[in-house]
Structures are given as structure tokens and as C-alpha cells.
Amino acid sequence: MDRERETGGEFKSVVSDDEVLGVLSNANTPVLTTQMIADELPVTRQAVYYRLQELHKDGSVGRMKVGSRAVVWWVAEESE
């Protein structure tokens, strides 16, 4: 089965922004790692990371580097 592509040629996402934001909003902790989010969704860690980067660019999520390679994410406040 071929996946549908966007007009720019990239594959359409299987998981919506709302689903990613829902995982962050419903978490029992204030921040989550990319892997923690991916564990809740039917996509790879890489796919979640790409989506999170796009959500960060538009101001929907915040991010902070917490180690040499670790990043945590949270739903951004309206005022950010």
C-alpha cells in the first residue's frame, strides 16, 4: 500500500498534530521525551521528532535540551 504524499512530495503524516499535543497534554509529568511520546503513538520516534520540531517552529510546543542528546517537550503556554 502506497502512502499518500503532500504537494511538496513528503509523505502525509499518519498522526495529527492534535494527537501529539494530546499525548503531551495528558501526560502525568510536565515534560516528555520524544521516545515517551512515540511510545504512545503508532509512529516512529523519528516521525514524532519531526512533528515536534514543526510544532515548536509554530509555537505550539516548548523544548529544552537537558543533556548532550536529550530533549524534553511540553505544550507551550498561550503567552509564549
Side-chain angles (χ1 to χ4, degrees), residues 59 76-80:
E77 297 294 324
E78 293 285 330
S79 61
E80 285 189 320

Side-chain angles (χ1 to χ4, degrees), residues 27-38:
N28 293 328
T29 58
V31 297
L32 294 174
T33 65
T34 305
Q35 186 61 58
M36 292 167 81
I37 298 166

